[in-house]
């Protein structure tokens, strides 16, 4: 029997080529141009790594494109990158997931000979004789594939390294649509050595015997996808897995920074604390990649009212801090003020002054149906004209469209009171 | 709550300043102090007393922050609290120095924070003005006026405006390019368009690709068709090209056949013969021509004979002819010069008569005229006269002036009185002055001693309880810093190791527990079979078998049991085989568990060692501190304690030094005072017995200054007199010298006038004029001599020389002209010379011409011979002797060559146009085509070719377009970028919308609330405010009222006479009063429902006259019945007014 030498392959998934980064508002000093094509650049990095590392093959476990992305140039770009791998004699095993199944490109692209696609009608096995590696998998035929695909996967090839390639929500990942559900124990029972999964965007090694791995998506695209992103580099020895290492190829990380401003009395102090937090973030990151950062200002602070009134200035000051500290490395995605007043409503009430009177009056606002209706109608003029995509981005839109703006009023009153109480 | 006492213990410029605010029916307290007296300090101190000393306080200029201290007693509802506020983390103390809880004041302050207290219960003039302005700016909004007056803020309007402006900048129903939302919306629209333009659908790509494929196939078909037609066209073209040449080739070959054998002469033989014959004929013609011309020239030379005698004198004749031109005008010029001499002499005679001298001959006059040296001496004396005369006059005047100065100084010296003081007085005064301001220096030194004492006390206090006194402290033998560092490092290392080991212990236990659980779960999940289990079942099987083998029991009885055991053993063996991997995995986990337990044991051992090390360190330290009397001092506090000790010892040293300095200064001052008193007495200066040291210094200073001034004046006059005497001596000497020089000049003058022939009495001006006349006479005589010598005599000499030379030449060259004058003779000679020269020139030219003709004739002879030699080879080649025979042979040769050339050209044309086909193939091809039809056929082929070509061109363009379409889809990222820009714009829109919702809601809420506030409060508040307003305006206004008819409702002040004045119609001062009225009314209302705190009024009425100030105080009197009022002011003129309002017993505190 021929014993193959040590081999290595890359397992990637959820590339979502050319899908945009969401929620980023450009401004001076933001690394705008560098990140316009982030998913594409990350994929190019992946291919560069594959060629430089001279891996034996590449596995893509679904969602190469976004389902609603129509530009054929994306497919062309993918084919071109596959051509580079073809020149480097690196085969690619491509499985379509829920997003690919919806894509017209999926059916029309003509790949170079090194690309092997998993059939959508039934599970198939691709064999690499020289390495004694068998890859089993089945592509999605439709986006809404909710049956268990793994159950029909073939038996392992005895004495070979068996890899299962599957696009699945697995069980328990409620944050993702439950496509091709199956359980971890089911996968373990198949007798494969490695399960190359896709669909879940967070990197996870669920088990090591056998290995069940979500590599995560290649590039974080919104604030929910924080931290470094990429694929995994798998090293095998004879017919077993030796190691699984992360391969970070993204061009930008998303990060959250929470700034507790309880001790800050005014805007400059808040900005100073935010600057320190950003500096700490920069220091903690050893790589030089750009970061898109959501700064959330929290805490029970005397500056609550000032922050409410100086929202634009706060944002500008923090942008200036970011520019001073990180130059083109930091992009402030959003500055969210989630502070609470240092003096609560009961303390205001004790003052028994005009501010307390005003607070008492404002507590009666929800009962003024006429005012509430009028306010809702005014705000509906905004939501009525807004594009649908804003409904997802602005949580208050749904509230306004429902006609009950009580929650908005309740959230604004403390800030307004704090703002007035802080004015001299 | 009210303040009973405020004690400024160490705060600002105050030390132990107690302010008392005793009870009264009207709790009003007037605190008065001039500028810089500490009024602002007092106001700040009240806030700091109640709420802690501000970390950024500026009242630490006298007492350091750490020393600042306030005391006070406050009371509320019968309870009182006396406390002290210091600048420290635990800042609240009782009078004994015990720390009080931060909540100790809670009952008194009722949760009112510092900011609110200052805002609600504090009012100063600046706020009054700000409030007044805010009322004006909010004049059309009663709600806002009431609210901001009640809240003590002046910028509600600003908040409202900010909200409204920000909301408007974000979004509004009306689209605008200035609003953030719409700016982003426009960006979104642009990005949408860009995305649409950049997106290539798969279908579009497929169509583009199919189009390219189809067009490429069509292009291939057209290409084949074109090639067929092109081949046909080429065949026709070839036939047409070679047909004619083929016919010519055949004809020429036949002609050569007919011509037979012909001698082939050179191709240019005919031309050669013609050229030779042409040359020969020309040469023979030239022979005859040039011989004749030579003969003609010889004959002409014979008749030319030029005059050789004249030619010999050519140079002389030409020179004299030239000379004649030069002397032609000499006789006329001599007459003109003679006339000039006559005119000059007439002028000389006129000048002589001016001098009064008699007329004389020219030579005699020249001899008698005064010589130039005598005239120069006289002219020099004339010039010098003015200088000498002025010098004499100036010297005399200076002597007179210096003499007068001397007399004046002598008078001043006589009138000056002199006084003196003894040197001892001067010495004593200088010593006293050197001591400077003794009182100030002593005060400074005493203050310094006091400060150093406090610093020492502070430094000693910082040491804590150990050790008892400074002497002991100074004598302590402390361990070195190095030793302490080593101990601390050892302690820190041990503690770090202790923590690390503890953490490791916890981790290790957790790992062991986790692995044990994992092993249990693994066993439960996989049930691996161990070798022991397998051995056990096999042993059971083998036991039965041995029983069967031994025959102890019948095999039949045991067979079933044996089979069961055999089956069990096999099953277990199979399971073990099947579970080999799991067994291996389990064993791996068990091995790992064992390793972890070993590590845990090792860790435990190290923990024990570490504990011992820690105990050893603590013991060592305890022994050391006990040895130096510092038992109980923790190791980590040793270095701070050592630093505090150093500070205390340094403070003690500093105090001792300062005390010594103070003592020395005091002794020096006493000695100086005694010395000064003695010196004054010695100088005989009387002063009051017991006069102060400073008075003695003044008296001594006056005496010394008077003596010094008189001495200086005497010295100054003496010095001036010495200078004046020296100046008088110098001026007298100068006057004598000037007079001597003038006398010498007079003697020289007399001698010089005699030498120039002038009378001795001639004055300076007359002598100057005579010298000018003599100079002109001299100049005229010199001109007469020059004309005569240089002009007239020179010209006469030239005329004589010319005539002499002409006569000599005529005698030698043309004696026949000897009778003529010189000018005519030389003219004739010149004409004859010209003629002789012309003849000589012609003779030379003819000789040159003869030589040329003879050369040409010889050349013609040579050419004839050469031409005849050249034709000889042709004659020999043609085998003939005459030129005519040679011409016939040449004609035959040329014909043969012509035919051969035509045949060769035809063959070449066939080869070139035959596309490489053989001659036979071409002839066959030509035979197959009807030449007559060929043009028509070819035209048809060309038409078809053109048609295909045009189709190809159209297709190529179409194909290029299709390729371009397809190439555009090359993986570009334009759509991705456009989508990214879309998301960018959406983010901007979302942020703008999000913020708009909040800001707009806040704006609406604020407006709604202010309207409600007005509805609720305007009744009671305006009633009370109107009363106060009426009082403080001294009845100018009766009350405040609201006009509900206007929209929005407007606030008015009602005049006593019934007229209403709107806010805008009131003066700035009235706005301030209105704000005060509203503010006090709101405060009274607040006191009706809220917690009472002291009202601090800071110089509220600085711009009011006494009547208005009194009205204001009366308004505060009402307030002081509800809460304590502390009125700070620097106007003591208000005291009577205050007493008038509050009675004589009102509490007045002076700072």
């Amino acid at each position: 029997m021929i014993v193959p030498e040590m081999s290595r392959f890359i397992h990637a998934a959820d590339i979502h080529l050319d899908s945009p980064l969401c929620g980023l508002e450009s401004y001076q000093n933001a690394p705008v141009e560098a990140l316009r094509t982030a998913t594409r650049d990350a994929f190019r990095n992946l291919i560069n790594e594959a060629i430089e590392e001279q891996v034996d093959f590449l596995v893509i476990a679904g969602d190469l494109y976004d389902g609603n992305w129509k530009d054929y140039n994306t497919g062309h770009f993918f084919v071109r990158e596959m051509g580079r791998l073809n020149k480097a004699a690196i085969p690619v095993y491509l499985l379509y997931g829920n997003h690919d199944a919806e894509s017209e490109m999926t059916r029309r692209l003509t790949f170079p000979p090194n690309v092997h696609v998993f059939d959508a009608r039934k599970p198939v096995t691709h064999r690499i004789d020289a390495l004694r590696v068998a890859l089993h998998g089945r592509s999605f035929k439709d986006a809404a594939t909710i049956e268990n695909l793994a159950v029909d996967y073939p038996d392992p090839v005895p004495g070979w390294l068996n890899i299962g390639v599957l696009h699945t929500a697995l069980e328990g990942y409620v944050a993702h649509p439950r496509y091709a559900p199956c359980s971890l124990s089911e996968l373990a029972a198949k007798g494969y050595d490695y399960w190359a999964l896709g669909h879940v965007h967070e990197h996870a090694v669920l088990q090591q015997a056998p290995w069940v791995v979500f590599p995560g998506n290649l590039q974080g695209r919104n604030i929910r996808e924080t931290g470094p992103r990429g694929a995994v580099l798998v090293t095998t020895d004879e017919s077993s897995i030796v190691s699984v290492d992360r391969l970070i190829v993204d061009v930008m990380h998303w990060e959250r920074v929470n700034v507790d401003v309880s001790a800050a009395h005014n805007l400059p102090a808040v900005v100073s604390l935010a600057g320190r937090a950003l500096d700490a973030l920069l220091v903690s990151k050893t790589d030089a990649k750009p970061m898109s950062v959501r700064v959330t200002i929290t805490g029970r602070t005397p500056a609550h009212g000032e922050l409410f009134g100086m929202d634009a200035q706060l944002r500008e000051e923090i942008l200036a801090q970011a520019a001073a500290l990180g130059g083109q490395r930091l992009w402030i995605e959003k500055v969210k003020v989630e502070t609470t007043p240092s003096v609560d409503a009961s303390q205001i009430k004790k003052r028994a002054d005009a501010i307390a009177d005003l607070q008492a009056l404002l507590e009666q606002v929800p009962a003024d149906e006429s005012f509430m209706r009028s306010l809702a109608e005014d705000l509906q003029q905004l939501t009525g004209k807004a594009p649908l995509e804003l409904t997802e981005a602005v949580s208050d839109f749904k509230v306004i469209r429902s006609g009950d703006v009580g929650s908005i009023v309740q959230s604004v009153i403390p800030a307004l009171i704090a703002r007035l109480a802080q004015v001299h | 709550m009210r303040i009973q006492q405020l004690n400024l213990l160490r705060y600002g410029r105050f030390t132990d300043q107690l302010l008392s605010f005793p009870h009264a029916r009207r709790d009003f307290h007037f605190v008065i102090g001039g500028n810089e007296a500490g009024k602002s300090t007092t106001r700040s101190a009240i806030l700091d007393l109640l709420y802690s000393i501000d970390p950024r306080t500026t009242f630490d200029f006298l007492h350091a922050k750490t020393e600042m201290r306030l005391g006070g007693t406050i009371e509320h509802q019968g309870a009182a609290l006396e406390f002290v506020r210091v600048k420290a983390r635990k800042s609240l103390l009782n009078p004994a120095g015990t720390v009080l809880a931060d909540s100790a004041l809670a009952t008194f302050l009722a949760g009112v924070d510092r900011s609110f207290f200052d805002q609600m219960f504090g009012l100063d003039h600046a706020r009054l003005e700000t409030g007044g302005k805010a009322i004006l700016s909010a004049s059309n909004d009663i709600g806002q006026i009431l609210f901001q007056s009640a809240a003590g803020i002046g910028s509600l309007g600003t908040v409202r405006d900010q909200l409204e402006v920000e909301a408007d900048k974000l979004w509004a129903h009306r689209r605008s390019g200035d609003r953030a939302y719409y700016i982003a919306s426009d960006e979104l629209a642009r990005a949408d368009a860009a995305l649409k333009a950049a997106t290539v659908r798969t279908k579009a790509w497929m169509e583009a690709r199919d189009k390219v494929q189809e067009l490429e196939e069509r292009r291939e078909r057209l290409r084949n068709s074109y090639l067929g037609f092109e081949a046909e066209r080429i065949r026709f073209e070839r036939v047409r090209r070679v047909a004619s040449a083929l016919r010519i080739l055949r004809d020429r070959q036949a002609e050569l056949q007919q011509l037979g054998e012909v001698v082939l002469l050179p191709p240019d033989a005919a031309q050669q013969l013609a050229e030779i014959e042409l040359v020969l004929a020309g040469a023979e013609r030239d022979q005859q021509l040039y011989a004749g011309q030579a003969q003609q020239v010889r004959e002409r030379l014979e008749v030319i004979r030029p005059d050789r005698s004249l030619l010999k004198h050519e140079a002389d004749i030409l020179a004299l002819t030239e000379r004649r031109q030069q002397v032609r005008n000499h006789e006329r010029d001599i007459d003109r010069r003679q006339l000039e001499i006559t005119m000059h002499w007439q002028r000389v005679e006129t000048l002589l008569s001016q001098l009064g001298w008699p007329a004389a001959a020219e030579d005699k006059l020249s001899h008698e005229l005064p010589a130039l040296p005598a005239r120069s001496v006289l002219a020099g004396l004339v010039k010098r006269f003015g200088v000498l005369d002025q010098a004499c006059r100036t010297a005399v005047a200076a002597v007179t002036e210096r003499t007068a100065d001397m007399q004046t100084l002598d008078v001043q010296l006589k009138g000056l009185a002199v006084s003196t003081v003894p040197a001892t007085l001067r010495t004593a005064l200088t010593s006293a002055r050197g001591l400077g301001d003794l009182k100030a220096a002593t005060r400074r030194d005493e203050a310094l001693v006091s400060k150093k004492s406090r610093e020492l006390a502070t430094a000693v206090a910082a040491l804590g309880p150990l050790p008892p006194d400074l002497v002991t402290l100074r004598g302590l033998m402390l361990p070195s810093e190095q030793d302490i560092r080593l101990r601390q490092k050892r302690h820190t290392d041990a503690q770090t190791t202790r923590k690390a080991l503890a953490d490791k212990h916890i981790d290790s236990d957790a790992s062991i527990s986790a692995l044990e659980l994992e092993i249990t779960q693994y066993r439960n999940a996989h049930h691996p079979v161990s070798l022991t289990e397998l051995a056990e079942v096999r042993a059971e099987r083998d036991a039965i078998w041995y029983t069967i083998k031994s025959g102890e029991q019948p095999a039949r009885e045991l067979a079933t049991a044996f089979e069961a055991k055999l089956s069990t053993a096999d099953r277990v063996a199979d399971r073990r085989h099947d579970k080999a991997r799991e067994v291996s995995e389990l064993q791996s986990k068990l091995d790992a568990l064992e390793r972890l337990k070993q590590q845990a044991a090792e860790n435990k051992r190290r923990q024990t060692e570490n504990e011992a090390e820690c105990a050893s360190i603590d013991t060592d330290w305890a022994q050391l501190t006990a040895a130096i009397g510092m038992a109980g001092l923790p190791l980590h506090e040793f270095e701070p304690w050592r630093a505090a000790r150093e500070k205390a010892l340094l403070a003690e040293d500093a105090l001792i030094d300062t005390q010594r300095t103070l003592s020395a200064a005091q002794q020096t001052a006493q000695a100086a005072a005694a010395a000064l008193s003695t010196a004054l007495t010695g100088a005989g200066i009387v002063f009051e017995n017991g006069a102060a040291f400073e008075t003695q210094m003044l008296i001594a200073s006056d005496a010394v200054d008077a003596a010094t001034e008189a001495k200086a004046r005497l010295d100054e006059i003496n010095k001036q007199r010495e200078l004046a005497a020296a100046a008088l001596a110098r001026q007298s000497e100068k006057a004598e010298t000037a007079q001597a020089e003038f006398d010498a000049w007079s003697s020289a003058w007399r001698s010089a006038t005699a030498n120039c022939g002038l009378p001795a009495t001639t004055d300076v001006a007359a002598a100057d004029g005579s010298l000018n006349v003599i100079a002109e006479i001299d100049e005229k005589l010199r001109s007469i001599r020059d004309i005569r010598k240089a002009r007239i005599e020179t010209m006469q000499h030239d005329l004589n020389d010319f005539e002499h030379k002409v006569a000599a030449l005529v005698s030698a060259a043309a004696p026949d002209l000897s009778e003529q004058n010189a000018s005519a003779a030389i003219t004739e000679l010149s004409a004859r010379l010209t003629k002789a020269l012309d003849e000589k020139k012609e003779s030379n030219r003819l000789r040159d011409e003869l030589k040329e003709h003879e050369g040409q004739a010889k050349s013609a002879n040579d050419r004839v011979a050469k031409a005849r030699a050249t034709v000889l080879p042709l004659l020999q080649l043609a085998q003939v002797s005459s030129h005519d025979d040679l011409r016939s042979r040449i004609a035959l040769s040329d014909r043969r060559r012509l035919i051969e050339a035509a045949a060769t050209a035809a063959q070449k044309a066939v080869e070139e146009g035959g596309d490489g086909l053989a001659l036979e193939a071409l002839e066959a091809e030509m035979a197959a085509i009807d030449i007559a039809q060929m043009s028509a056929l070819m035209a048809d082929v060309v038409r078809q070719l053109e048609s295909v070509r045009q189709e190809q061109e159209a297709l190529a363009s179409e194909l290029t377009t299709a390729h371009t379409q397809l190439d555009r889809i090359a993986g570009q990222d334009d759509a991705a970028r456009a989508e990214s820009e879309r998301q960018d714009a959406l983010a901007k829109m979302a942020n703008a919308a999000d913020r708009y919702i909040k800001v707009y809601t806040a704006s609406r809420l604020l407006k709604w609330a202010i309207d409600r506030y007005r509805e609720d409060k305007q009744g009671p508040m305006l009633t009370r405010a109107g009363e106060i307003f009426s009082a403080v305006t001294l009845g100018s206004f009766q009350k405040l009222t609201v006009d509900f008819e206007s929209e929005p409702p407007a606030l008015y002040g009602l005049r006593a006479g019934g007229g209403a004045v709107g806010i805008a119609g009131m003066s700035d001062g009235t706005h301030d009063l209105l704000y005060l009225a509203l503010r006090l009314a709101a405060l009274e209302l607040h006191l009706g429902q809220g917690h009472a705190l002291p009202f601090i009024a800071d110089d509220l009425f600085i711009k009011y006259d006494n009547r208005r100030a009194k009205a204001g105080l009366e308004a505060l009197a009402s307030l002081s019945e509800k809460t304590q009022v502390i009125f700070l002011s620097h106007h003591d003129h208000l005291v009577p007014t205050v007493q008038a309002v509050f009675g004589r017993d009102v509490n007045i505190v002076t700072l």
Side-chain angles (χ1 to χ4, degrees), chain B residues 459-470 472-474 476 478 621 625-626 628-634 637-638 641-642 644-645 648:
Chain B
V460 170
L463 280 170
L466 297 173
D469 60 69
L470 288 169
T472 310
L473 191 70
R474 201 180 281 275
L476 285 177
L478 301 179
W621 177 247
T625 51
I628 62 172
M630 300 297 297
L633 181 67
E637 287 181 7
F638 184 80
W641 180 86
R642 188 207 296 271
R645 170 182 175 269

Side-chain angles (χ1 to χ4, degrees), chain A residues 25-26 33 36 40 71-73 76 80 108 308 311 351-353 368 374 378 389 419 423-424, chain B residues 116 119 153 155 162 200 202 206 969-972 977 980 982 984 988 991 995 1000 1004 1008 1086:
Chain A
E25 178 181 343
S26 62
E33 286 309 313
R36 287 274 188 237
R40 189 180 273 223
D71 184 28
Y72 188 79
N73 280 302
H76 204 292
R80 199 165 65 200
R108 298 301 177 192
F308 176 74
D311 184 84
R351 291 165 55 142
D353 68 338
D368 187 340
S374 163
D378 283 355
E389 286 161 292
R419 173 88 178 106
V423 169
H424 290 285
Chain B
F116 177 55
Q119 180 181 315
I153 60 175
S155 50
Q162 281 175 350
V200 178
T202 307
M206 289 178 63
I969 311 166
Q972 294 91 333
R977 288 178 180 280
S980 174
R982 278 188 80 252
D984 187 346
K988 287 176 181 165
N991 288 338
R995 179 67 181 159
Y1000 180 75
R1004 288 285 310 270
W1008 181 91
H1086 169 77

Side-chain angles (χ1 to χ4, degrees), chain B residues 801-1110:
Chain B
D801 184 61
F802 171 70
E803 286 170 357
H804 176 73
K805 284 181 177 171
V806 169
L809 180 61
V810 166
S811 172
D816 58 314
L817 298 176
S818 60
E819 296 301 322
Q820 294 188 12
N821 67 26
S823 180
I826 199 65
T827 303
E828 179 58 26
L829 275 175
S830 178
R832 289 181 187 182
L833 176 63
T834 302
K835 181 171 176 289
L837 286 171
D838 289 345
E839 286 173 348
K840 182 185 174 186
K841 187 178 177 185
E842 179 62 12
S843 173
N844 289 340
R845 190 188 67 76
L846 287 173
R847 280 195 181 84
D848 292 342
E849 192 176 347
L850 178 61
K851 191 185 284 181
E852 185 184 349
H853 289 330
E854 288 171 349
Q856 286 170 335
K858 184 175 179 303
S859 170
N861 293 340
D862 294 344
R863 277 186 281 145
V864 167
K866 187 179 176 184
R868 284 180 179 150
T870 307
V871 78
L872 194 60
L874 278 178
L875 292 169
Q876 290 172 347
L877 183 62
Q879 299 171 359
V880 294
S881 57
S882 71
H883 284 197
D884 291 340
D885 291 343
L886 180 57
R887 258 191 290 277
S888 300
R889 293 296 172 89
I890 288 172
L892 281 172
S893 171
D894 287 348
R895 176 151 181 73
R896 178 186 161 190
R897 183 175 287 108
L898 196 64
I899 295 169
E900 284 177 349
T904 304
Q907 186 161 5
K908 188 180 177 189
V910 170
E911 286 170 355
E912 286 177 353
D915 295 338
L917 294 182
L919 201 60
E920 294 75 14
L922 291 171
E923 285 178 338
E925 202 171 69
M926 194 169 74
I929 293 174
D930 183 354
I931 299 296
Q933 294 293 320
M934 197 175 72
S935 294
L937 291 170
M938 192 162 164
D940 186 46
V941 168
V942 168
R943 270 197 304 277
Q944 293 192 57
L945 268 175
E946 179 60 18
S947 169
V948 173
R949 193 185 60 73
Q950 287 178 356
E951 206 174 340
Q952 278 181 318
E953 281 180 3
L955 186 63
S957 172
E958 211 176 337
L959 190 58
T960 302
T961 307
H963 269 301
T964 306
Q965 289 292 110
L966 187 60
D967 291 346
R968 277 184 191 152
I969 311 166
Q972 294 91 333
D973 56 12
D974 297 353
R977 288 178 180 280
E979 177 59 29
S980 174
E981 284 165 9
R982 278 188 80 252
Q983 295 299 329
D984 187 346
L986 280 167
K988 287 176 181 165
M989 290 171 75
N991 288 338
D994 198 37
R995 179 67 181 159
Y996 172 80
I997 290 166
K998 289 182 175 54
V999 173
Y1000 180 75
T1001 303
S1003 171
R1004 288 285 310 270
L1005 285 173
L1006 186 56
K1007 186 172 185 312
W1008 181 91
I1010 295 298
D1011 285 347
R1012 295 296 176 282
Y1013 184 84
R1014 178 182 60 78
E1015 289 169 5
D1016 285 3
K1017 301 290 178 184
Q1018 69 184 13
M1021 193 164 160
L1022 286 183
T1023 302
R1024 178 59 188 139
E1027 292 166 7
I1028 300 171
F1029 189 52
S1030 175
V1032 295
T1033 58
L1034 304 174
S1036 175
F1037 288 90
Q1038 196 175 32
K1039 63 176 183 178
L1040 294 170
T1041 183
V1042 175
D1043 178 7
F1044 292 99
E1045 298 299 319
S1046 64
E1047 181 57 39
L1051 182 64
Y1052 288 93
L1054 208 60
R1055 291 285 191 190
V1061 180
I1063 302 293
M1066 297 177 183
S1067 68
D1068 290 347
T1070 311
H1071 290 146
D1072 296 356
L1073 293 174
L1074 179 56
Y1075 180 74
L1076 176 66
L1078 287 165
R1079 191 81 193 80
L1080 293 179
L1083 195 57
E1084 288 181 10
L1085 290 174
H1086 169 77
L1087 291 172
Q1089 53 188 326
H1091 186 74
L1093 288 170
F1095 181 74
I1096 315 296
D1098 187 355
D1099 253 353
L1100 271 185
F1101 308 138
I1102 54 174
K1103 287 190 177 174
Y1104 293 6
D1105 56 27
N1106 280 345
R1107 287 177 65 221
R1108 203 168 282 244
K1110 185 181 178 195

Side-chain angles (χ1 to χ4, degrees), chain A residues 55-135:
Chain A
V55 298
D56 294 287
F57 58 95
L58 167 67
V59 179
I60 298 176
D63 284 0
L64 180 59
Y65 324 109
D66 251 11
N68 54 358
W69 186 248
K70 306 298 183 197
D71 184 28
Y72 188 79
N73 280 302
T74 304
H76 204 292
F77 168 75
F78 177 71
V79 170
R80 199 165 65 200
E81 294 302 305
M82 292 301 100
R84 289 173 62 205
L85 290 181
N86 190 36
K87 278 187 187 172
I90 298 173
V92 179
Y93 297 91
L94 175 62
L95 181 132
Y96 292 133
N98 54 308
H99 278 283
D100 305 309
E102 285 183 347
S103 173
E104 179 75 12
M105 273 184 282
T106 303
R107 292 192 292 277
R108 298 301 177 192
L109 277 179
T110 304
F111 296 122
N114 61 322
V115 179
H116 309 279
V117 178
F118 288 100
D119 200 323
R121 291 164 298 182
K122 60 180 178 20
V124 293
T125 299
H126 292 293
R127 292 167 177 258
I128 309 174
D129 293 338
L131 300 174
R132 295 174 66 80
V133 169
L135 296 109

Side-chain angles (χ1 to χ4, degrees), chain B residues 191-237:
Chain B
D192 273 335
L195 177 63
K196 192 175 176 185
T199 299
V200 178
R201 298 290 181 126
T202 307
K203 187 180 170 194
W205 176 79
M206 289 178 63
E207 285 173 357
R209 186 196 59 186
D210 293 348
K211 181 76 176 174
V212 168
Q213 284 178 351
E214 180 207 331
L215 291 175
E216 283 180 341
E217 286 168 6
R218 273 182 61 200
R219 183 178 65 177
E220 189 60 27
R221 287 197 299 275
L222 278 175
R223 186 169 167 275
N224 291 334
S225 175
Y226 185 88
L227 288 175
F229 285 124
E230 182 66 8
E232 190 75 359
R233 185 190 66 75
I234 290 170
R235 188 164 66 87
F236 287 149
E237 283 284 348

